[in-house]
Amino acid sequence: MEKIEEQFGRLRLAKRSVLSEEPAYLLDIDISKPVQSESSHFVAVSCSNQSIRIYNRATLTFLREYSSSPGMLNGVRFAHTRDSVVFSACTDGTVKCWDVRLATQKAVQIFSGYPSNVFISFDINCSDLIICAGTEKVEKDTFLVFWDARGDTSCASKSKEPLGVYSESHNDDITRICFHPTKPSLVVSGSTDGLVNVFDINKDNEDDALISTCNSDSSVSFIGWSGKDYKQVYCMTHDEGFSWWDLAQLDTEEPITLLHVLDVREAVCIENGTLNYLVGGLYHEKADKLLLIGGTSTGNIHLISCGLDGLSVVGALRGGHAAAVRSFCWDATDESLLTGAEDAQLLLWKPGAAERSLAKKTSLKTASSVQKRVRVHSTSLRSSKK
C-alpha cells in the first residue's frame, strides 16, 4: 500500500483546460487507446450541455465538439483498436460514432435502436466487435440493446440495426454498462433497480447468458471489474454505497460478497473535512488494488483503497478544482490522472509536474442544463443466483 500512497502522492497539477464559451459540467472522460507504443493522442469529454468535446491529450487544447441536439449524449468511449474513433449513446435512440481526425461534425456511423429506446448508458467490448446500450424504463420495458460494431464508417447514411436485446434481467433504468477488459463476451450492467447483472453474450439466450445477479440494495451509479484476471465486479450507488463481489466463488461454497458498505462517507475519515460523494473506481493492475475516487463539494479529490477488512484513505489531490468532481480517467501508461468537475474545467495530474497554463482556477460553478435524477429503491428485489 505504500507504493500506492507514494505514487499518488507524487501527482501534481500539470495542465488545465481553458474554459469554453459555454461552461458545462464534465460528466465522463475517456482517452484514446495508444497505437502500438505511442501515447494517447485525444481526450473526449461528455458534457452537461449535451455535447462531446475533444481535446489534445498532451496539451489539453480544445479541438472540436460534437452534439446531437435535441437528443442528449450520455457517456463517451474511444474504440480500442482505432485511436481516432469515439462513441456516445444518445437519448434519441441511437449510439453515434465520430472520427476525431475528420473536420466534419457529422457522425460517421449511427447504430439505431427500436422506436421507444432512450439510451442512457453504453460500452463497446475490448475487441471492438460489439456495442451494448442500456435504456431508460419506458412503460414496463427496459432493454440492453446489442449491435455488431463492425462496418463501413465511410458510409454514414445507413444506420445499423440491432443484433438483438435482453429484456428480462432489469426492471428499471439501466444506468451503467461495462464490458470485461480482456474477455469480449463478458459484460456487467447496473440499474436503478439495484441489480448488478453479469452476462456471457456468447450464450444463445438471455437466461443462459445471465451468469450472476448481485444486489446492491440501491440505485447503481458506477460499475467496474477488478482483481487478477478481472474476476471481481464492484459497484457504487447514488446514495454513496459500495459493493464488491468475487465471481470466482460462484462455483464454490464461499460467499461471493467481498465487501458491502452502506455509506462510504461514514466509513472513511478525511483529514480536516468530510467526504461528500463518490465519483467512481479503478483497478490498479501493478499494485493489484481496487481504488475508489471520492471528493468534497469544494473540489478536493480523495483516493480510497478497498480491502477485505474495509476502506482506507490513501491520498488526496487539493487545489485543482473549485467545485464537485464528476469524472476522471486514469492513464496507466504514464500514471497520470484526468479529472473533470462542475467548475467546467478539465485537469491533468502527472507525477512531479508543475502547472504551466494560462488558464486559472476559477470559483465558477456552472448552472447545469441537466439535473441528474436520483431514485433510490427500497423495495425488495430479486435475490442473486448465489
Side-chain angles (χ1 to χ4, degrees):
M1 188 44 58
E2 287 74 21
K3 181 181 178 183
I4 288 287
E5 292 182 354
E6 180 184 326
Q7 183 177 32
F8 282 89
R10 291 197 307 269
L11 287 178
R12 297 291 183 271
L13 182 56
K15 294 192 182 297
R16 186 189 300 270
S17 64
V18 177
L19 280 172
S20 65
E21 293 181 2
E22 184 185 356
Y25 292 6
L26 307 188
L27 303 178
D28 195 17
I29 302 173
D30 197 23
I31 55 174
S32 60
K33 311 303 184 286
V35 177
Q36 295 176 345
S37 61
E38 294 182 19
S39 59
S40 302
H41 290 113
F42 304 107
V43 178
V45 181
S46 176
C47 304
S48 63
N49 66 350
Q50 307 179 20
S51 72
I52 299 293
R53 291 177 184 163
I54 307 296
Y55 296 85
N56 178 285
R57 168 69 175 86
T59 64
L60 295 193
T61 304
F62 172 77
L63 299 176
R64 57 186 55 88
E65 187 171 26
Y66 305 114
S67 66
S68 189
S69 183
M72 186 178 74
L73 296 171
N74 289 289
V76 62
R77 292 288 179 274
F78 277 98
H80 299 273
T81 57
R82 296 169 291 168
D83 72 336
S84 66
V85 175
V86 66
F87 300 83
S88 185
C90 187
T91 56
D92 67 2
T94 65
V95 174
K96 292 179 169 60
C97 167
W98 298 270
D99 189 330
V100 301
R101 297 189 190 276
L102 303 179
T104 178
Q105 299 290 310
K106 192 173 182 181
V108 296
Q109 184 78 63
I110 295 176
F111 302 86
S112 297
Y114 298 103
S116 65
N117 291 163
V118 176
F119 294 127
I120 56 173
S121 58
F122 87 104
D123 199 10
I124 183 167
N125 74 347
C126 61
S127 60
D128 286 345
L129 296 181
I130 300 292
I131 293 171
C132 177
T135 70
E136 282 188 346
K137 184 177 182 179
V138 176
E139 295 180 351
K140 295 183 178 181
D141 296 324
T142 305
F143 298 103
L144 287 167
V145 184
F146 297 89
W147 295 267
D148 182 343
R150 296 169 296 181
D152 182 7
T153 55
S154 64
C155 180
S157 59
K158 292 181 66 176
S159 62
K160 297 199 73 170
E161 299 300 317
L163 292 171
V165 302
Y166 291 167
S167 61
E168 303 296 329
S169 301
H170 287 293
N171 55 37
D172 214 327
D173 298 355
I174 298 172
T175 51
R176 285 282 176 167
I177 293 171
C178 185
F179 275 98
H180 192 278
T182 59
K183 297 180 179 178
S185 68
L186 296 184
V187 63
V188 59
S189 60
S191 167
T192 53
D193 63 12
L195 301 183
V196 174
N197 289 326
V198 181
F199 299 94
D200 181 351
I201 60 174
N202 278 344
K203 303 297 183 180
D204 291 336
N205 56 66
E206 183 175 352
D207 281 344
D208 291 341
L210 184 60
I211 295 172
S212 175
T213 293
C214 305
N215 197 337
S216 72
D217 296 321
S218 190
S219 173
V220 175
S221 63
F222 191 95
I223 54 176
W225 299 84
S226 67
K228 289 183 178 179
D229 299 324
Y230 292 95
K231 292 181 179 179
Q232 303 164 357
V233 295
Y234 65 93
C235 85
M236 279 157 253
T237 62
H238 286 113
D239 53 359
E240 318 312 335
F242 170 72
S243 296
W244 188 17
W245 301 280
D246 186 358
L247 302 182
Q249 303 298 338
L250 283 173
D251 296 325
T252 73
E253 296 302 316
E254 297 297 317
I256 68 168
T257 300
L258 297 174
L259 191 64
H260 180 63
V261 180
L262 287 175
D263 192 334
V264 174
R265 295 168 296 185
E266 297 177 357
V268 299
C269 295
I270 302 298
E271 185 179 350
N272 300 323
T274 304
L275 190 76
N276 297 131
Y277 55 85
L278 293 173
V279 186
L282 66 95
Y283 175 65
H284 195 294
E285 283 191 343
K286 289 182 181 178
D288 184 25
K289 269 291 176 184
L290 173 59
L291 304 165
L292 309 184
I293 302 289
T296 67
S297 57
T298 55
N300 292 334
I301 301 168
H302 294 278
L303 186 77
I304 302 163
S305 173
C306 304
L308 299 181
D309 55 349
L311 306 175
S312 59
V313 177
V314 294
L317 298 174
R318 296 182 171 89
H321 290 289
V325 174
R326 296 290 293 268
S327 55
F328 72 94
C329 185
W330 170 250
D331 188 350
T333 57
D334 63 356
E335 299 184 333
S336 65
L337 182 71
L338 284 157
T339 57
E342 293 181 3
D343 59 10
Q345 298 215 50
L346 176 67
L347 304 186
L348 173 62
W349 308 79
K350 299 185 76 171
E355 182 178 2
R356 295 176 182 176
S357 175
L358 295 176
K360 294 181 180 179
K361 180 180 176 181
T362 174
S363 60
L364 168 70
K365 183 170 180 180
T366 64
S368 173
S369 61
V370 179
Q371 292 298 319
K372 189 172 185 178
R373 294 173 303 144
V374 177
R375 293 190 288 148
V376 178
H377 292 243
S378 58
T379 55
S380 60
L381 300 168
R382 182 173 14 145
S383 61
S384 107
K385 282 189 170 181
K386 175 161 183 170

